Amino acid sequence: MASIPFDTLKFVKTLEAAGIPASQAEAFSAAVRDSHESVDVATKRDLKELEVSLRHDIGDLRKEMKEQELRLTIKLGTIVVVALGAFTALSKWIV
């Protein structure tokens, strides 16, 4: 995660232009800067990277599900063939 960019000098100059004494403006600026440093926020870039990663993971899962589907289809087909063979053999043996 990234920190929020904060221009302390511009902030102080804005407060001073509004009539706040320089010492108070600097104290406000330091307080805001410190609060920004302690916050862990997601940027648009962070979210974009997460989106790309999730899309990649979802693509991998879809591919894996297709492979599993093919394996299950083959197993089911094998079971059906074996069952039909067993029924055919039993029907010839019984009759």
Side-chain angles (χ1 to χ4, degrees):
M1 299 288 170
S3 63
I4 299 170
F6 179 66
D7 186 350
T8 54
L9 180 61
K10 183 178 178 182
F11 187 72
V12 169
K13 295 291 182 190
T14 302
L15 291 176
E16 287 177 342
I20 305 291
S23 61
Q24 287 181 352
E26 290 171 7
F28 288 148
S29 177
V32 171
R33 184 193 66 234
D34 292 345
S35 69
H36 283 182
E37 289 175 356
S38 67
V39 175
D40 195 17
V41 297
T43 62
K44 287 182 181 180
R45 182 177 181 193
D46 293 330
L47 294 176
K48 186 64 177 175
E49 288 173 2
L50 179 62
E51 178 188 9
V52 168
S53 175
L54 287 175
R55 287 185 186 275
H56 183 273
D57 291 347
I58 289 170
D60 289 347
L61 286 174
R62 284 185 177 158
K63 182 179 177 184
E64 189 174 324
M65 287 175 62
K66 292 266 186 206
E67 291 170 1
Q68 291 292 338
E69 180 182 11
L70 178 62
R71 285 189 204 130
L72 288 173
T73 301
I74 291 170
K75 286 180 183 180
L76 181 59
T78 303
I79 291 169
V80 169
V81 168
V82 169
L84 285 174
F87 287 135
T88 303
L90 284 174
S91 67
K92 290 183 179 181
W93 183 70
I94 293 176
V95 177

